[in-house]
Amino acid sequence: MEQSNKEHRKRKEKAGAKKKLHSQGHNAKAFAVSAPGKMAKQMQRTGDKNEKKLHVPMVDRTPDDDPPPIIIAVVGPPGTGKTTLIKSLVRRLTKTTLSEINGPITVVSGKRRRLTFIECPADDLNSMIDISKVADLVLLMMDGNFGFEMETMEFLNLAQHHGMPRVLGVATHLDLFKSQSTLRASKKSLKHRFWTEVYQGAKLFYLSGVINGRYPDREILNLSRFISVMKFRPLQWRNEHPYLLADRISDLTHPELLQSKGMHIDRKVAIYGYLHGTPLPSTPGYRVHIAGVGDYQIDHVEKLPDPCPTPYYQQKLDEFERERAKEEGSTSATTVRRRKRLDDKQKLIYAPMSDVGGLLMDKDAVFIDVGGKTGPNSMTAEEKDESDKIVSNLQATSRSIDEKFENVGLQLFSNSTELHAIEDQDEEVEEDTEDEDDVDRGNVGRSSLRKARVYGKSLQESNADLDNLSSDNENYNEDDDEDEAHRTKLVEIDFDDEKPENMAFETDSELDASDSEGWERTTAGKLNGTKNKRRKWDISKLIYMDNIAPADAIKRWNGEADETEVEEDLEDDEDTEFFTQKTNTTPNKAVTYHDDLERFIPYFDTFNDLVERWSTADSIKDRFVGKPSLNTKSSDDVKDEDDDEDEVYGDFEDLEAEPENTDEKEENSAAGDEESDSNESFADFEEEEKKDLTQDEERELNAAKKEKLRLQFEMEEGDNFGEDPENEYDTWYELQKAKIAKQLEINKAELESMTPEQRQQIEGMKAGSYVRIVFDKVPMEFIENFNPKYPVIMGGLLPTELKFGIINARVRRHRWHKKILKTNDPLVLSLGWRRFQTLPIYTTSDSRTRTRMLKYTPEHAYCTASFYGPLCSPNTTFCGVQIVANSDTTGSFRIAATGIVEEIDASVEIVKKLKLVGYPYKIFKNTAFIKDMFSSAMEVARFEGAQIKTVSGIRGEIKRALSKPEGHFRATFEDKILLSDIIILRSWYPIQVKKFYNPVTSLLLKDKTEWKGLRLTGQIRASLGIDLPTNNDSTYKKVERVERNFNGLKVPKSVAKDLPFKSQIYQMKPQKKKTYMAKRAVVLGGEEKKARSFMQKVLTISNAKDEKKRSKKAEERKERLKKLAKLEESKKEKEKQRKKDFFSKNGKKRQFNDNDTSDVMSSKKRK
Amino acid sequence: MSSSSRYVTFEGSRNFRLRVVMATLSGKAIKIEKIRSDDLNPGLKDYEVSFLRLMEAVTNGSSIEISYTGTTVIFRPGIITGGSYTHQCPNSKPVGYFAEPMLYLAPFSKKKFSILFRGITSSHNDAGIDAIKWGLMPIMEKFGVRECALHTLKRGSPPLGGGEVHLVVDSLIAQPITMHALDKTMISSIRGVSYSTRVSPSLVNRMIDGAKKVLKSASCEVNITADVWRGENSGKSPGWGLTLVAENKQGWRIFSEAIGDAGDVPEDIGASVAYHLLEEISKSGVVGRNQLPLTILYMIIGKEDIGRLRITKDQIDERFVWLLRDIKKVFGTEILLKPVDDNTTDLIATIKGIGFTNTNKKIA
């Protein structure tokens, strides 16, 4: 018994009491480490945590100001409540009740966040693959009663090999548990299983029951909150490719074509959606892959107004609008309240495939569904919202007119640099109409000109031309009448005076929609004399105008274009002889030189010119880091006299200059010091300028300088981390992150400094923009068999991915896949954006000397697979499945292999082992004649000197073919071989990878889940009833070995005699004397004999008894076993029956006998 | 695959090597038409065919179709493999003609480049080996290609040649570093090589004198090495020349070169090379005109980031325009030229990389 004492009561601490510093004689602060073990553990833990946080630094190319919506895929086996979840979430986020879920649904979820929900068809492996490539977040649904099902596991594995998106588990149907304890237990086991699949501590949501066709509001709220704060890591593949999840598809084929040529012609298709990933190049002809359809060239892309803008974006727009309004002086600017929560108006939803709100916006039309399709109840609920939208869309129509022009311009002059200002979108309708007017006028004017104009004549008309056209130039918005008069005059003067200086060209103009020869026309239109200031060509544009010869382009840029040329231009603008004209007029002084661009050494002036120019090197003195020479005076410098002085005496200048401004003086002197350090006369120059600036200007200059410094990339790219003492970053990781951030900042700043058209040209369509991509010649099946339930994904292709070749990859059969994989058996690979069937050859490397073919994949190890297909950059992971058609699938795990691309090449050397077998028929000492290996002397000649081997391991070499029996040869061995030996020649036979590439075009099928490609070898065998070919020699038989008797070694006497003493064979002579026992004989008699015979009798009897007993027992045992077996049988039967009954009752959930969708829908409705 | 845009089509013989190189880097098939079709001697020249053979050797899976007249070439690039190879250059073009385009490909191959070129090592029109070594390879170094070297085993002057040059590029990089060169190159020193084969060594020193006299005004350190080749390593013909390189501390180089013919005065050659150097410096922003294609292309095939390079107005000549147009045709990207606002006529070329990566290299 333990003694029970009263518990110790601690002394109560007084509230204001000062903490005791000294405890146990130590100052606790001075000796901080009181528990070193604990501290070590703590440090270890923090270290571990920090280390876990580290990732390979990767650039995140998603724009941070207006990112694309986050793609949330809802995935799970049929009947787990995917649709219900989406409905509940959409209802929660936008207060919209969806009747049907078709295609992606984009909703605004926060100030800066939009979500795109997409439901993954449960029974389609192809869709699962595609979804796993684009989803940012996966809501993995599972039935709490069933736990993990095959689809869940398959999807998780697919996702893992396509760059693992974030995964949130959602367990449903938890209300079906009757007792709390089983619920708890199953929750726990589910959670732990989920953790092993995803990661330890992964979030798993539990949704209990369905109320009003939705999950409980509280649980959905929690889930949506969780989603709205989620952060995402950039994934390698998506960070290198542009991609898009189509939320609308329309057939643009001209109906007349369909009528005249039939429905079977290839279609022109437009795909709409938000861009993700890297910017999509806006150049036409960019190749993309539409998963399940194939590779296509983009005909053209255009940016559409965002159908579902974030409140943040709208706010920015409003601010911009207000700013403009303020500038224009109107006082109607209203203050906008900043809200913390989203306004109901801002909770937008955009789901064109699902017919939400009955509203469709197109490029040039708005369709309002008057409500035949959607239920009346949903319409009434949104009446107010809708009317709002209609109003807003009426405004949007003006945009789309504007855009129409822009788009046509894009289409027509894709090769030229002329693009329309995107700013135009924000312009008022008035301006647009004005533009239209201009266009009209322009059209009229041109037609008349066309007739009248003759080569080299009629200035009057050129003026008319100018008048008509230059008015759409935004740079000259002055009063038209005045302007025109002025202009005509000037132009006339120009021509009369032959002053080329007044001639200038303008390129940034707006093209009207209908004009096909707009470029030429506008060039003329830009001939402009309104301002005497010489207008310059923009070199960036000039360079890319293919119809201007480079020499000419340079000349124009430099403003050297002389009068004759200008006139020619005018003519050219009128005529179509533009090109011929130009080529005739190009010859010039340096042309002969420039013609040969292969010349490496650049063009220099003649020696004498150079001597003259470089008598002093003053003009480039600022390019040398050296002492400024005192006695030279620059002749052609911009600086004036005292500047030069300053330059020379850089250190002293400040003392005499500007004594009144002390601030500046200080600054200057500081700068001067720096200067003297670097001795850069460059700086002097700037210094000089500063003197005559006012403070404001100076500030501006400083700001500019700072801006420049900010954008300077001073961080050294090399690996000299650690060596640099000025490094402010503690770790390499930090340095890399800082570098990436810096580069991104530069990118952003540079891109923002460009005009919108330049930006589009250089950057392309950036992620987050809503685009319409038009494809030509898409198979009609895509449109005819289109089903919005199946996601359409478009991914951009890098140059490498356009090429075809051999891919060497490291693959492994998936450990859950039941069968090993066979070489040259078709395998559907999901590599990159594509899904395709190919014929892989599995190989292994024989100690790196050769790549040897394997017939089958090894059981639990990686091997290499070589297959033909579109190339993909190394380090890309992929997975392979054998069958995608639902009708062919068994219940087993479908992902057959996973792997990673190691190398791409145009060819690959794979060999397989080939053993040639021969038999000796005549044996000399070490030489033997071999037959049956070759059939001709020629073949033997090919293998002369080759290594051969007997089965017993005696090595040899092929020597020469024998003349007589064709194909026989002489060989030598290291030892004498036996006639019974088999001779083996091991050789390597090269095999080729079969060039088979069969894209999985599942989206073209009526029944998308039934794509069947090349059949597997096993399937063909089964269907044709062919047995596996068996080699009789390869079958295992019982080895019957004849016992061999070896005679003892007999050494002849004559030999034995000569053997050395050591090797003498000792053999004892037989004994001659009789032994003791041999001498004696024992005879029994009397008592002993009797006793012995008695004993023998007794034993015989007992043995016989025993024998009888044993046999009886054996019989009994046999009987018993029989009985037991019978019992077992009946037991089994019973169990089977029970199982059958159970599953026929409870296993109904997974039955999809016919793939009728209506059937699916009805089965979804749970009782 | 659609058949309409199977090739990128070019016309004429200009920029031949660069077009082939760009096609190889981008993986796009090109078709060059009308090669000297108006010439008396139409079609490809022997050196161009030799260059195509070299391309075939350093790549795997490329196919070259030359029309019967030789005026049309279809080049379908394969995968850059590199490896060791010996190339016999025809005597119509020097080694530099063949080695220069290899610099564009070498860092992006499967295996390391080790090519032995045999032929003429210097000429009037093409890159000399010293120019490549001192002028172009430092540029590559700036872009992250750190281990590249051009070893001169033998010098061979025109017309007979007999030189031997070994190009070794050991660093295989994923993509070039994004470049931000916003300041003009400040020259810290001028170096040079004055070389001769099978002529009197005095010529070499006279060239140096001639060059130094001119460069005296440049007021910076001038250091020119005399490099006289004798015996069997000096090729089959007599010849002499000078290469001058202006260096800066950041690693940029600007260079000029020339070779002398029979009857030329060595001092004059020296002086003219020096004048050329001064001229080139005056006309160059960060890099010289003959380094511009290499620099621009390396920037084009960089990461999908924006790189910047300062160039001068003088550098925008016809070649530059051709270069950019060809780049646009193959890669589909444009560069933007923006004036610098510091009272100069210079421009900043803003280049966004195409996100190229070296896919040929095997993963470890």
Side-chain angles (χ1 to χ4, degrees), chain A residues 59 61 239-240 278-279 283 287 295 297 414-417 536 538-540 542-546 548-551 553-554 557-558 591 593-605 607 610-611 613-617 620-627 680 682 685 689 708 711-713 717-719 743-744 746-747 750-751 753-754 758 761-763 798-800 803-804 810 871 873-875 900-907, chain B residues 1-2 4-5 13-18 24 26-27 48 60-61 77-79 81 97 100 110 123-127 131 136 146 177-178 180 182-188 190 217-220 254-255 257 268 271-272 275-276 278-285 289-290 303-306 308 310 313 316-322 324-325 328 332-338 342-343 347 350 352 355 357-364:
Chain A
V59 193
R61 302 223 179 262
N239 227 359
E240 285 172 350
T278 54
T283 44
R287 291 192 76 93
D295 289 3
Q297 266 187 358
S414 50
N415 56 344
S416 84
T417 48
K536 287 229 167 170
D538 182 0
I539 184 65
S540 318
L542 203 51
I543 282 175
Y544 293 111
M545 288 184 182
D546 280 337
I548 301 180
I554 299 293
W557 180 51
N558 288 334
V591 158
Y593 167 80
H594 280 307
D595 247 4
D596 186 13
L597 286 167
E598 288 287 272
R599 230 181 108 124
F600 180 72
I601 291 168
Y603 169 76
F604 288 108
D605 291 336
F607 187 68
L610 289 173
V611 171
R613 190 175 317 155
W614 298 109
S615 53
T616 63
I620 57 163
K621 210 169 54 185
D622 54 2
R623 302 293 297 276
F624 289 100
V625 184
K627 286 162 243 121
E680 288 179 18
F682 220 23
F685 183 45
E689 278 203 332
K708 196 186 155 198
L711 290 182
Q712 214 140 39
F713 204 92
E717 276 276 2
D719 323 319
Q743 177 67 57
L744 281 179
I746 289 174
N747 289 353
E750 283 293 329
L751 288 172
S753 72
M754 295 173 192
Q758 279 171 340
Q761 190 63 46
I762 289 188
E763 190 193 18
L798 300 183
T800 342
K803 281 200 283 186
F804 276 72
R810 201 162 60 217
L871 299 180
S873 64
N875 248 339
I900 183 168
V901 176
E902 271 198 328
E903 186 189 18
I904 55 178
D905 211 335
S907 62
Chain B
M1 304 288 107
S2 72
S4 59
S5 60
S13 65
R14 66 174 74 81
N15 254 0
F16 181 75
R17 291 172 299 163
L18 202 62
T24 315
S26 70
E48 282 163 343
N60 183 14
I79 279 159
T81 50
Y97 178 87
E100 190 207 339
K110 195 181 282 299
S123 78
H124 283 291
N125 287 340
D126 286 292
L136 295 180
R146 286 172 200 281
I177 290 166
T178 309
H180 299 274
L182 301 176
D183 292 320
K184 279 190 172 185
T185 319
M186 299 296 291
I187 310 297
S188 58
I190 293 174
S217 64
S219 72
C220 88
I254 290 165
F255 67 92
E257 59 170 344
D268 284 357
S272 81
Y275 282 131
H276 284 176
L278 293 178
E279 175 89 359
E280 192 64 45
I281 291 172
S282 78
K283 284 192 171 180
S284 65
R289 281 176 291 177
N290 33 23
K303 288 182 207 143
E304 272 189 282
D305 285 319
I306 281 183
R308 292 163 299 173
R310 188 191 183 110
K313 196 179 172 186
I316 300 174
D317 54 6
E318 207 179 331
R319 297 155 157 249
F320 186 70
V321 176
W322 274 115
L324 294 191
R325 285 186 183 178
K328 195 194 171 184
T333 50
E334 290 188 0
I335 74 167
L336 185 71
L337 297 169
K338 276 193 298 190
D342 59 355
N343 300 338
L347 301 148
T350 307
K352 184 168 177 266
T357 43
N358 179 8
T359 49
N360 305 319
K361 208 176 132 194
K362 192 177 176 177
I363 58 166

Side-chain angles (χ1 to χ4, degrees), chain B residues 80 113 197 235 272:
Chain B
I80 310 168
F113 256 67
T197 59
S272 81

Side-chain angles (χ1 to χ4, degrees), chain A residues 817-872:
Chain A
H817 190 253
K818 289 239 170 88
K819 286 175 179 162
I820 53 172
L821 308 177
K822 186 177 158 65
T823 282
N824 271 336
D825 219 13
L827 190 67
V828 176
L829 293 180
S830 154
L831 173 59
W833 296 120
R834 296 181 171 103
R835 289 178 264 126
F836 58 94
Q837 204 177 29
T838 187
L839 302 176
I841 291 181
Y842 302 107
T843 61
T844 185
S845 161
D846 276 358
S847 51
R848 303 205 178 189
T849 49
R850 68 185 84 81
T851 337
R852 180 165 55 85
M853 188 193 90
L854 295 173
K855 276 188 177 170
Y856 297 94
T857 51
E859 280 279 5
H860 302 292
Y862 274 102
C863 67
T864 312
S866 301
F867 53 88
Y868 175 81
L871 299 180
C872 204

Side-chain angles (χ1 to χ4, degrees), chain A residues 1076-1132:
Chain A
Y1076 173 81
M1077 283 300 288
K1079 277 182 203 161
R1080 284 155 186 85
V1082 181
V1083 184
L1084 283 179
E1087 203 63 14
E1088 202 178 351
K1089 193 178 178 181
K1090 253 191 222 163
R1092 279 206 181 180
S1093 72
F1094 174 74
M1095 275 313 288
Q1096 201 189 349
K1097 275 167 198 160
V1098 169
L1099 280 176
T1100 314
I1101 291 166
S1102 109
N1103 276 349
K1105 251 185 186 168
D1106 281 355
E1107 183 61 31
K1108 235 182 200 172
K1109 239 188 208 166
R1110 219 179 289 134
S1111 70
K1112 203 180 174 191
K1113 217 171 189 176
E1115 213 146 282
E1116 265 171 14
R1117 194 178 143 70
K1118 235 184 200 169
E1119 207 70 7
R1120 201 180 114 77
L1121 277 180
K1122 244 186 211 166
K1123 228 162 115 187
L1124 273 178
K1126 226 179 195 173
L1127 213 72
E1128 187 70 15
E1129 186 89 343
S1130 70
K1131 217 176 173 182
K1132 248 187 196 166

